[in-house]
Amino acid sequence: MAEQRRSGGGGATASEHILVVFPGYHRSWAAWIEQCLERHGHRATLHRWDPPREVPLEDSLGDLLLSSGRVLLVLNDWFFELGPRPAGEWNDALRGFVAAHADRFAAVNLTNRPLLPATAVLEPASLWGLSEEAVEERLLARLGLAPLPTPRNPATRVRFPDTRCDVWGEVPRRNPRFTGRDDLLTTIHQRLADAEHGAAACTLLGMSGIGKTQLAAEYAHRFSTDYDVVWWVNSDDRNIQRDRFGELAVELGLRSGSEPGERIRAVRNALRRGDPYQKWLVIFDGWDDTDGADSLLPQGSGHVLITSRNRAWSERTDALEVPGFVRAESVAYLMRRAGHINAAEAEEVAAEFGDVPLPLVQAASWLGESGMEVSEYLRMVRERRLSTVDEPVTGDGFPQSSMTSWSILLNRFRRAQPQAIDVLGLCTSFAPGRIPLGLIRAYPHADLAENLRWMTADLPAWSRALDTLVKYSVLTRETRGPAGMEMGPHQESVHMHRLVHDIVSKLTGDDQRDSHRRAVRTLLAEADPGNPHDSRNWPRYAELLPHLEPSGALESTRPRVQETVLNCLRYCSRSGEYTTGLNLARRTRERWAAFLPPLSPQMLDLTREESTMVRVSGRFREAYDLDRAVLERLQAAPGTNPLAELTTQGAMASCLRHLGRYDEAYALQHEVLEGTDRLLGPNETATMVARHNLGVSLRLLGRFAEAYELDLENYGIRESVLRARHISTLNSSSAVTHDLRLLGRYRDALARQEPTVRLHLQVLGPQHPQTLGARTQLVMSRRRGGGPTHDIGPEMASLLDELAQVHGREHYRTLAFLTNYGNYLREHGDLSHARELIEEAEAGYRALLGPAHPVATGMLANTGLIMQAAGERAEAMSMFEAALAGLTATLGPDHPWVLGCALCTTGARNFNGRIADAVELGRDTVRRTRRTLGGEHPLTLSCQVALAADLRAAREHEEAAKLEEDALLALTRTLGAQHPHTLSARQRTRPYWDFEPYLG
């Protein structure tokens, strides 16, 4: 099969034409040679060449001479296996046909290994190990072409093949025996090149063992000169996938924190912008679960390649079915790996295994290493079928004959290299995919079974066993560590294909299975860093997590292993991997319930982590029920566990706050704070957490001054005990800002939050969830503070996008900012966009919380403001009245949210001609705001200004003038003469209140 491309160029008479003939494997060299010739004024045509075995070699070589000009062969030792053909046939053709046309043929040599003797007729110029300048000089000299004094500069320069792209991330080693697939690789390249900008993603689909990973790796090597960045992401496990993709942030020089989600967002933004690189390739290998794909798949000017068994990818990306080898490819591969077999024998083996690459690789390895005759090998495969295996292991239609082939190989290991069987058994007690096998070297003193201790004591035997498994294509070695660092023996990882894992698990006996699994879970516990709160340890936990279940760690009764399971759960909770964490928690609960009492410390810790992830995911009722059931058991059990009860009550109080049951939450949280203070003292972590959460309860009750005093006290304690840069101290600082803003002290809030955000950025990075919360407080302080608000619109839009990326569009934190941005847009004239956002947020809150929740009710006020601005005054009044009635019923008449709704309702009554009703409600609202918030709070002053307007409409001018004058003086004194509230009051613009949703 040939791939031809004409290239124009060159001067008129001095120009020559060169046909560059290359195997697909050396496409990058051919492309560079083509450009080199064109830079010096010559024309070049690329011709991918793999002459059919059934066509005489002289005829195939003769076809090359149909081209005008000379033929340049790009050689290495592998070139002479094209076909494949015996060395004698090549030597005869070189000595005969090529020698007779020596003036038409030339060659370059890319290897330092010896070529066939008759290659001398081509006088190949060796390009091995030379610099780009030296290669260019030698190439032109071999062709007898004079270099131009000033070579032409192409628009796009092809990278020199020996110069790896700027970022090269953990791509598997190139398989020097890669066979065929040239047309498929060309199709992938063409589809990615032709895709629309920002949507260049192609998925290679096919069953296990069909060769998708090998194809993707060959694509990365073959077309590496097209890219500045090539990054490989093992995607068998979601946590490892996210960590690996996030590691690209470091290679790109991006400023981000260590939290995986934050790094991922930084990487996606950089790739989308094409900064610092526009030409990039990201390969996700083994990505079968499409959940969450939208938050991971990068877009931009680069390309994405995915390998998967999941056909759902065809709905998201361009999809390409990866078939088995065509028979010629199977035959060629077998003959190259096992040089002693002929074409007919290779065809018989290929037919036996259905041209599926993975079993063919194993068969070729066996035949090549053993030198066994094909007839004997096939007789063993056909006659020694396993009575214990009745169906294909994976359900992928894998040939039954491959099971027998693997059985033969394992029996050989048992006889000749029994230690390789031990290593294999150990591998099958890990999850398939990437296996951190170096753990056994890293922890030589782990409590291993006696039959496995040789692995830590005898390094040569360990190395021989691994070498054997790699040589027979059972395992592949990982060449670089998770962060792209070179690995020592204790960091060594191997990769075991999922299908190989299934087959070997099926065929290895159960007699050693228990000891292998016990060894693996022991090693996992030894490798546990012990501190999942430190984000620097998260890559390690992501590496350990997929192996918990296969190793039997979830069933272990050993406290050390159980603590590792809990630490992996804590990692999920802290890093935001809630879906993974919840799945792990529920599987763990199923196992532990069989042998652990429900009130054991481990089960209580498990419930605490599960409840936290359920609650943060927005399933507040489910989390509350989970915690309440635990508390009831604790209270009914003989004896007392006061700290466990307090911890559970604290979790319940958090749920009650989110459920809108603010009085109950406050009472319970107050009890928790008193209890922890009494048991532990005021400066312990649990007490500081309880104090912080009591501040949240006070804030939700509208008791802003009390919340401020408590949060300020807690901030001082945390700063003293934990220091200023601790994540909890930073959280307390943002809480104080929130209180100041709700108290109407906007300038104080802004002055505090600007340095707080700077510390968040330094310590946690710009997209850590807590940093996003701190940035939200900052932008809202700017909005309320009345500075140059025209600048915060783009900032709010950007922050909304980041919140949606982190939490999802329907998460309660995103809904809150949707509301705030919608209110900003409404007051700045973009009514259409504002309506869309407010409607989206209102619907989201109703779905999440139910219509009777105070936040869902308060959203009616924002909808009313939209309607009022659109001239729908009657409809707006209905919304305000409904919000006022609903919030009064749930929160009481003096809550600030109720008072704000009352302010909006007075305006609606005025606009609809109900002046007396407006005055009546306005007088009551002013009295209540003064009592609740004080006489100089912005909401109190706004209510005064509104009441003055209503009194003027009722012709009570003297009282109106006095109220208005007092309000203007107070606004000028507290907010400043140029604050928007002051200016609006002076211009007699009707004040309003927009609802800022908050769940705690």
Side-chain angles (χ1 to χ4, degrees):
M1 304 237 178
E3 173 190 86
Q4 297 194 10
R5 177 159 55 88
R6 297 290 296 188
S7 302
T13 57
S15 173
E16 290 198 26
H17 174 254
I18 309 295
L19 180 69
V20 182
V21 177
F22 65 99
Y25 193 81
H26 289 311
R27 180 258 180 197
S28 58
W29 272 102
W32 182 87
I33 289 170
E34 174 197 32
Q35 187 176 87
C36 178
L37 294 172
E38 291 180 346
R39 289 180 64 240
H40 290 279
H42 305 285
R43 294 185 300 115
T45 301
L46 298 187
H47 183 81
R48 193 188 76 230
W49 196 56
D50 190 357
R53 182 175 50 82
E54 60 274 11
V55 176
L57 190 52
E58 289 82 357
D59 291 351
S60 294
L61 290 165
D63 289 342
L64 299 177
L65 297 184
L66 297 176
S67 171
S68 63
R70 279 182 295 172
V71 175
L72 178 68
L73 303 179
V74 180
L75 304 180
N76 69 346
D77 52 327
W78 187 84
F79 183 92
F80 296 104
E81 294 183 21
L82 292 175
R85 301 168 187 273
E89 185 177 350
W90 269 104
N91 279 325
D92 290 345
L94 291 167
R95 294 184 181 117
F97 183 86
V98 173
H101 300 87
D103 59 323
R104 295 286 308 279
F105 286 100
V108 291
N109 179 18
L110 303 179
T111 182
N112 64 345
R113 293 187 291 272
L115 302 180
L116 294 176
T119 310
V121 70
L122 292 167
E123 301 180 8
S126 175
L127 307 184
W128 169 261
L130 300 181
S131 67
E132 183 172 8
E133 295 76 12
V135 167
E136 183 172 329
E137 180 181 345
R138 190 166 290 187
L139 170 68
L140 295 174
R142 175 63 187 88
L143 293 169
L145 303 174
L148 286 179
T150 307
R152 300 168 179 174
N153 286 320
T156 304
R157 188 80 181 263
V158 175
R159 182 184 291 104
F160 184 59
D162 279 354
T163 304
R164 181 162 280 178
C165 51
D166 294 351
V167 178
W168 181 261
E170 213 171 307
V171 180
R173 291 177 180 175
R174 196 173 193 183
N175 180 2
R177 300 180 185 274
F178 186 88
T179 294
R181 305 286 200 177
D182 285 341
D183 289 335
L184 197 54
L185 286 161
T186 301
T187 299
I188 297 168
H189 185 252
Q190 196 64 48
R191 289 195 182 187
L192 289 173
D194 292 345
E196 294 181 9
H197 179 85
C202 182
T203 302
L204 306 181
L205 295 172
M207 73 178 197
S208 295
I210 206 67
K212 302 183 296 294
T213 297
Q214 280 287 314
L215 192 63
E218 175 61 21
Y219 179 90
H221 287 280
R222 185 170 297 193
F223 295 98
S224 62
T225 53
D226 291 1
Y227 302 101
D228 297 319
V229 175
V230 177
W231 196 253
W232 187 278
V233 181
N234 287 324
S235 302
D236 287 336
D237 177 83
R238 183 172 184 269
N239 294 288
I240 291 177
Q241 176 195 44
R242 286 170 57 80
D243 278 323
R244 176 63 189 152
F245 184 53
E247 285 166 6
L248 182 53
V250 178
E251 299 294 332
L252 297 179
L254 305 179
R255 295 182 60 187
S256 68
S258 57
E259 190 266 324
E262 182 180 336
R263 287 187 168 191
I264 287 167
R265 290 183 290 277
V267 169
R268 293 183 76 224
N269 287 335
L271 297 181
R272 176 176 50 78
R273 295 192 309 267
D275 181 17
Y277 299 105
Q278 288 192 332
K279 297 187 295 182
W280 48 264
L281 170 67
V282 179
I283 300 173
F284 295 94
D285 182 42
W287 194 354
D288 290 335
D289 183 1
T290 61
D291 289 345
D294 292 338
S295 63
L296 201 60
L297 272 179
Q299 295 181 331
S301 56
H303 297 161
V304 176
L305 191 60
I306 299 166
T307 72
S308 182
R309 298 177 298 174
N310 188 345
R311 300 189 180 278
W313 280 111
S314 60
E315 300 171 6
R316 295 174 175 265
T317 67
D318 186 13
L320 192 61
E321 186 74 28
V322 178
F325 281 150
V326 298
R327 184 56 51 84
E329 290 173 333
S330 301
V331 169
Y333 181 78
L334 288 162
M335 291 179 69
R336 287 172 186 146
R337 289 294 306 268
H340 66 288
I341 71 175
N342 60 37
E345 291 171 327
E347 186 153 347
E348 192 174 3
V349 174
E352 184 70 28
F353 293 104
D355 296 298
V356 178
L358 185 62
L360 283 176
V361 167
Q362 193 274 323
S365 299
W366 171 272
L367 290 166
E369 293 295 333
S370 68
M372 181 180 288
E373 294 299 319
V374 167
S375 58
E376 175 64 14
Y377 175 72
L378 289 178
R379 184 189 65 78
M380 293 173 65
V381 169
R382 290 165 180 164
E383 293 180 1
R384 295 177 57 190
R385 295 189 179 277
L386 302 179
S387 59
T388 58
V389 182
D390 300 322
E391 299 292 337
V393 173
T394 65
D396 281 328
F398 203 63
Q400 177 68 44
S401 54
S402 67
M403 294 292 293
T404 307
S405 174
W406 278 98
S407 178
I408 293 169
L409 178 63
L410 295 182
N411 286 334
R412 178 186 177 97
F413 288 162
R414 288 187 180 96
R415 291 192 301 272
Q417 180 62 275
Q419 289 168 324
I421 293 292
D422 281 339
V423 176
L424 262 186
L426 200 67
C427 287
T428 58
S429 296
F430 288 91
R434 185 177 191 159
I435 298 174
L437 206 53
L439 292 179
I440 201 160
R441 308 293 313 167
Y443 302 102
H445 302 296
D447 184 18
L448 300 180
E450 186 174 351
N451 63 313
L452 300 179
R453 289 176 189 165
W454 68 269
M455 296 182 182
T456 62
D458 192 345
L459 180 58
W462 169 263
S463 299
R464 282 194 303 272
L466 275 183
D467 289 344
T468 298
L469 294 171
V470 171
K471 182 171 65 175
Y472 280 90
S473 303
V474 181
L475 303 176
T476 55
R477 274 196 171 95
E478 299 276 0
T479 58
R480 303 181 73 83
M485 299 174 62
E486 296 293 341
M487 297 186 300
H490 64 290
Q491 298 166 308
E492 187 171 32
S493 293
V494 296
H495 191 275
M496 192 176 204
H497 192 284
R498 185 192 308 274
L499 193 55
V500 174
H501 189 279
D502 288 347
I503 292 173
V504 173
S505 298
K506 201 84 166 179
L507 296 179
T508 51
D510 293 333
D511 51 335
Q512 300 294 326
R513 185 71 50 82
D514 288 343
S515 65
H516 288 150
R517 296 178 81 209
R518 186 164 53 252
V520 170
R521 55 182 179 261
T522 297
L523 292 169
L524 296 177
E526 291 285 343
D528 179 1
N531 185 6
H533 302 273
D534 189 337
S535 60
R536 292 171 296 183
N537 294 328
W538 290 352
R540 169 63 84 176
Y541 283 111
E543 184 179 42
L544 300 181
L545 193 147
H547 305 294
L548 294 177
E549 193 159 14
S551 68
L554 304 189
E555 293 92 358
S556 176
T557 58
R558 292 183 57 196
R560 179 74 180 273
V561 177
Q562 291 171 353
E563 186 64 18
T564 297
V565 174
L566 288 169
N567 280 340
C568 285
L569 275 171
R570 293 172 183 128
Y571 148 73
C572 292
S573 177
R574 275 59 177 180
S575 66
E577 295 291 343
Y578 304 129
T579 301
T580 300
L582 284 172
N583 289 335
L584 175 61
R586 281 160 187 171
R587 294 197 306 272
T588 303
R589 182 177 296 282
E590 289 174 5
R591 308 312 205 285
W592 285 6
F595 57 85
L596 282 176
L599 297 182
S600 65
Q602 298 94 324
M603 288 293 279
L604 290 174
D605 286 345
L606 171 63
T607 302
R608 185 178 306 119
E609 297 305 321
E610 184 178 358
S611 170
T612 298
M613 288 185 281
V614 169
R615 184 175 66 252
V616 176
S617 299
R619 288 141 58 186
F620 309 129
R621 170 58 65 180
E622 182 182 340
Y624 177 75
D625 290 342
L626 188 62
D627 292 321
R628 185 176 60 179
V630 172
L631 183 62
E632 289 172 353
R633 289 196 193 97
L634 284 167
Q635 293 173 337
T640 59
N641 188 344
L643 188 56
E645 288 188 26
L646 289 169
T647 302
T648 305
Q649 287 173 320
M652 289 174 62
S654 294
C655 295
L656 288 170
R657 286 193 294 272
H658 286 88
L659 289 168
R661 294 159 60 178
Y662 303 142
D663 289 319
E664 293 176 72
Y666 171 77
L668 188 57
Q669 190 64 56
H670 193 275
E671 183 181 335
V672 171
L673 177 57
E674 287 186 338
T676 53
D677 197 351
R678 184 175 60 255
L679 276 176
L680 304 173
N683 296 345
E684 290 299 315
T685 298
T687 309
M688 289 187 280
V689 169
R691 190 180 296 114
H692 177 91
N693 288 336
L694 187 61
V696 175
S697 284
L698 287 167
R699 202 175 302 130
L700 284 165
L701 287 170
R703 295 159 60 177
F704 304 144
E706 295 174 73
Y708 170 69
E709 295 298 331
L710 190 64
D711 285 332
L712 194 61
E713 176 192 355
N714 205 41
Y715 172 72
I717 294 173
R718 280 180 162 173
E719 188 176 39
S720 174
V721 174
L722 303 175
R723 301 302 183 225
R725 296 169 65 89
H726 192 278
I727 186 172
S728 297
T729 308
L730 295 177
N731 200 27
S732 280
S733 185
S734 284
V736 172
T737 296
H738 197 174
D739 298 328
L740 287 169
R741 184 164 58 78
L742 294 176
L743 286 168
R745 296 169 55 181
Y746 303 139
R747 284 179 292 195
D748 292 342
L750 185 59
R752 166 176 282 278
Q753 196 62 9
E754 285 176 338
T756 297
V757 167
R758 284 197 294 272
L759 276 176
H760 272 86
L761 294 170
Q762 293 169 14
V763 175
L764 301 175
Q767 292 181 315
H768 188 283
Q770 185 172 305
T771 305
L772 291 175
R775 290 169 60 193
T776 297
Q777 289 298 332
L778 178 59
V779 76
M780 292 303 293
S781 296
R782 287 174 177 161
R783 181 184 172 214
R784 301 300 187 196
T789 55
H790 62 277
D791 291 333
I792 71 168
E795 183 181 356
M796 293 186 84
S798 175
L799 189 51
L800 175 58
D801 287 343
E802 293 177 62
L803 284 161
Q805 288 180 15
V806 174
H807 300 298
R809 190 84 175 182
E810 297 176 350
H811 192 275
Y812 59 92
R813 291 173 182 163
T814 310
L815 294 175
F817 203 77
L818 270 172
T819 305
N820 295 332
Y821 186 38
N823 284 328
Y824 170 86
L825 292 172
R826 172 189 46 74
E827 67 184 13
H828 286 80
D830 191 348
L831 193 60
S832 175
H833 191 191
R835 185 188 289 269
E836 290 176 6
L837 295 182
I838 295 298
E839 287 178 352
E840 179 184 353
E842 184 185 352
Y845 276 126
R846 282 177 173 270
L848 180 68
L849 306 171
H853 192 287
V855 167
T857 305
M859 285 299 298
L860 298 176
N862 291 324
T863 302
L865 288 172
I866 293 286
M867 292 176 170
Q868 192 161 271
E872 304 164 17
R873 291 185 168 181
E875 295 85 349
M877 186 171 69
S878 296
M879 285 290 173
F880 292 136
E881 296 282 7
L884 179 59
L887 288 177
T888 302
T890 55
L891 302 178
D894 293 332
H895 194 286
W897 291 357
V898 175
L899 300 172
C901 269
L903 171 63
C904 292
T905 306
T906 62
R909 290 178 179 180
N910 185 315
F911 294 147
N912 283 275
R914 294 171 51 186
I915 304 301
D917 291 341
V919 170
E920 180 185 2
L921 179 60
R923 290 187 190 279
D924 183 61
T925 303
V926 168
R927 284 195 300 270
R928 292 182 184 280
T929 52
R930 283 175 178 166
R931 185 170 64 243
T932 301
L933 299 172
E936 295 195 338
H937 190 281
L939 180 57
T940 304
L941 299 175
S942 292
C943 290
Q944 259 184 249
V945 171
L947 178 56
D950 295 333
L951 288 168
R952 278 195 304 273
R955 304 185 187 281
E956 299 181 30
H957 297 290
E958 185 177 346
E959 184 182 358
K962 180 68 171 72
L963 274 173
E964 185 176 65
E965 182 183 2
D966 289 347
L968 282 170
L969 287 172
L971 284 168
T972 303
R973 185 169 57 252
T974 57
L975 299 182
Q978 300 303 311
H979 191 282
H981 286 357
T982 309
L983 295 174
S984 295
R986 188 171 291 119
Q987 295 162 4
R988 292 186 172 175
T989 301
R990 182 89 192 192
Y992 59 84
W993 170 84
D994 56 58
F995 175 64
E996 185 181 323
Y998 176 58
L999 287 179

